[in-house]
Amino acid sequence: MIFTRRAFVQLSLGSAFATNAMRLLAQGVATHIAKPVPRPAPSGRPFHAHFVDVASAAGLGAPVVYGGVESKKYILEATGCGCAFLDYDNDGWMDIFLLSGTRLDGHPADATNRLYRNNRDGTFTDVTEKSGLQAVGWACGVCIGDYDNDGFDDIFCTYFGQNRLYHNNGDGTFTDVTKAAGLWNEQPRWGAGCAFLDYNRDGHLDLFVSNYVRFSIEHAPVPGANTNCNWKGIPVECGPRGLPTGRHSLFRNNGDGTFTEVSEQAGISKATQTYGMTVVAADFDEDGWPDIYVACDSTPSLLFMNNHDGTFREEGVLRGVALSDDGMEQAGMGVGIGDYNLDGHLDLFKTHFADDANGLYRNDGKGYFDDETRPSRVGVETRYVCWGAGINDLDNDGCPDVFMVTGNVYPEVEKKLPQYANKTPRAIFRNLGKGVFEELIEAAGPGVAAAHCSRGCAFGDFDNDGDVDVLIVNLNEPPSLLRNDVAGKANWLKVKLEGVKSNRSAIGARVLVHYSAGVQAQAVVSQASFYSCNDPRLHFGLGNSPTVEVEVFWPSGLHEKFRQVSANQLITLKEGVGRIPNRGWSKS
């Protein structure tokens, strides 16, 4: 009899063997290693997306400062940070928010988070100082959402030390309201991933924060201090193994601009403590309530299923997204979300460490996942440490592709082991259909082939030309802005949602687009990739389909259909109202 991995887990969870195995996994006794899947011959099919790095010409010249350049003394310097596409001024053009770290020996003058306003001509203006977003510290993650439903997107940033909530004042400026909102930490913590979500469906955005490790520079071990501070015989920064795990938090929005922590009441604190990283909140089992997925480093990843009563149950192992296909923990870092096989369900792609394969998880529509890493051929790539990722249709052919960025955490290692370079290329897995992918690097353009030590990346259409561009954080150098120049005449559609009874940002909404190739699902989320936030306008490549049907499942429970929607346009849909004029949108 042949069992799926999910069936094996369900049958064995109650056994003593499974219990002992999970204890070992929690201790992190081994690093997972996977042999790469054999590479088939190239398909020979043309790939019509082409990426060029235009960051310098666009005015994104300031470096993302983050720890040491030649070596890293502490894990704090190595994990890096995210970025965001957002429309903070509601003009219909994506602006850019870039996080930054600092250095152990002091704060360089250029070490600050940065906000760039889109000039609508392919360039950006640094408006950080004017906006009030200048900040120094070890920033990690960012999530975007309109937590007070005033029509302007707000910004939440996680930090090592103190997280920060910035209220958008609607006039191009932001105010730090962390203390007033009840989100101040009495003790420093290492905030990592974050996500706005309306877990109780009251129309107000709540907040989930993952925490990485409990860490202090004063008491942290140094490279070579113990077995957790060596990699392949070379002394390196210590962790996460050997360091205490973080404790994840859920904050309920009180509807008056303040939040209350409900981690205990909601059942979040009951879950096994893990090294939490990127957070993605979406309705994975299609019951109308948002669930929470947390990619976890060196510990089982977590999937909190919503019980509809203000509580969650953690079922990552049971549902097939916690471990590798052979039942081991992995270095989960980034998460892409989308519908790669066009069955109308939200799938996941999770990035891992060098010598391991990144995981592709197929959702059956009920929130149970099968590991398709090997049959899909995304397992051909094991050379790099992988971070930000997305499931997006990059060439508009109607079949979503996978994009990921890479970069080592041990810059000193390449001197002795040159095969583990510090700066490495990006990679695309182009969708060939029937659940199979083909890795492309050089063939996707110089922006993909260029080597950098990257972390977060965000996906969006910064020039409003109908394709998906990519913003990338590169440690200790300027970011990359990969402009996508799609050749050919493939069709596309963008969908922007505005909630009424639901939260104004429509975070948690699930959209289905029906076209000739199948039905594609996407969700409005406030964080994905690695610690980053994508363009809130959902982008669907349509291939040769000139018209589509659009279904919207709003967070409030409302279900709406829109038929005979023409391709090659942005449509803005208001909950219960229908199509409304696009705010400030125009093609470049």
Side-chain angles (χ1 to χ4, degrees), residues 237-275:
E237 42 91 356
C238 307
R241 297 171 191 269
L243 299 176
T245 52
R247 179 177 58 83
H248 313 314
S249 300
L250 179 65
F251 299 91
R252 185 187 66 232
N253 189 329
N254 299 320
D256 59 1
T258 68
F259 293 80
T260 298
E261 182 167 2
V262 293
S263 308
E264 291 285 346
Q265 304 94 304
I268 301 301
S269 299
K270 295 179 182 177
T272 301
Q273 293 189 3
T274 58
Y275 301 121

Side-chain angles (χ1 to χ4, degrees), residues 6-183:
R6 182 203 313 162
F8 174 79
V9 170
Q10 290 172 323
L11 286 171
S12 63
L13 266 179
S15 68
F17 170 80
T19 301
N20 292 332
M22 288 309 299
R23 286 180 183 147
L24 290 174
L25 290 173
Q27 296 170 17
V29 298
T31 300
H32 188 257
I33 295 176
K35 292 183 178 180
V37 174
R39 289 179 182 269
S43 69
R45 289 166 51 176
F47 184 61
H48 293 299
H50 184 80
F51 290 91
V52 177
D53 191 346
V54 298
S56 179
L60 308 180
V64 177
V65 176
Y66 223 97
V69 178
E70 300 298 327
S71 65
K72 309 285 187 183
K73 186 176 182 180
Y74 300 118
I75 191 172
L76 179 63
E77 304 174 78
T79 52
C81 58
C83 56
F85 279 121
L86 76 162
D87 184 7
Y88 79 94
D89 53 2
N90 286 343
D91 68 349
W93 293 75
M94 286 296 109
D95 309 299
I96 285 174
F97 185 60
L98 284 159
L99 298 184
S100 177
T102 183
R103 301 208 197 283
L104 295 174
D105 56 1
H107 304 308
D110 52 2
T112 178
N113 301 336
R114 294 184 184 275
L115 179 67
Y116 292 93
R117 187 188 67 238
N118 194 324
N119 298 325
R120 313 180 199 176
D121 60 1
T123 68
F124 293 81
T125 297
D126 189 334
V127 294
T128 308
E129 187 173 352
K130 176 184 176 182
S131 70
L133 290 173
Q134 206 158 21
V136 174
W138 298 97
C140 297
V142 57
C143 51
I144 307 293
D146 184 1
Y147 77 91
D148 58 352
N149 290 331
D150 67 352
F152 291 90
D153 279 337
D154 310 299
I155 302 174
F156 183 78
C157 298
T158 60
Y159 276 82
F160 168 68
Q162 177 58 56
N163 302 327
R164 295 172 183 172
L165 176 64
Y166 294 101
H167 177 260
N168 189 334
N169 300 319
D171 59 1
T173 68
F174 291 79
T175 300
D176 186 338
V177 295
T178 311
K179 284 188 176 180
L183 295 172

Side-chain angles (χ1 to χ4, degrees), residues 413-586:
V413 163
E414 68 177 338
K415 294 178 182 178
K416 294 185 177 180
L417 299 174
Q419 67 270 36
Y420 297 105
N422 185 46
K423 296 182 179 182
T424 47
R426 297 79 191 246
I428 288 173
F429 297 101
R430 61 94 59 89
N431 195 330
L432 296 174
K434 298 182 179 180
V436 175
F437 292 83
E438 174 182 45
E439 186 179 24
L440 302 176
I441 296 180
E442 290 81 3
V448 175
H452 297 273
C453 187
S454 302
R455 293 298 187 264
C457 65
F459 301 87
D461 188 357
F462 81 89
D463 50 2
N464 283 351
D465 66 349
D467 54 32
V468 176
D469 311 302
V470 190
L471 173 69
I472 305 173
V473 170
N474 302 316
L475 298 192
N476 295 311
E477 60 177 320
S480 295
L481 181 61
L482 303 192
R483 189 189 66 214
N484 187 0
D485 300 316
V486 176
K489 298 180 179 180
N491 296 315
W492 54 271
L493 179 74
K494 292 185 187 296
V495 180
K496 177 75 169 70
L497 300 181
E498 183 177 313
V500 177
K501 184 178 179 181
S502 302
N503 67 87
R504 182 71 175 265
S505 301
I507 288 171
R510 186 167 53 92
V511 176
L512 301 181
V513 170
H514 301 258
Y515 55 107
S516 59
V519 54
Q520 184 183 158
Q522 290 192 35
V524 182
V525 299
S526 65
Q527 183 171 94
S529 183
F530 177 73
Y531 291 172
S532 299
C533 185
N534 300 326
D535 187 336
R537 305 169 301 182
L538 303 180
H539 179 94
F540 297 84
L542 303 176
N544 58 8
S545 297
T547 61
V548 301
E549 177 179 294
V550 178
E551 286 188 82
V552 182
F553 296 84
W554 296 91
S556 66
L558 180 65
H559 176 208
E560 295 186 294
K561 291 185 179 182
F562 304 88
R563 294 181 171 85
Q564 291 297 307
V565 178
S566 298
N568 303 320
Q569 62 171 329
L570 165 73
I571 60 170
T572 300
L573 302 176
K574 188 171 183 177
E575 183 180 16
V577 175
R579 188 169 177 180
I580 62 173
N582 299 321
R583 182 181 290 128
W585 162 272
S586 64

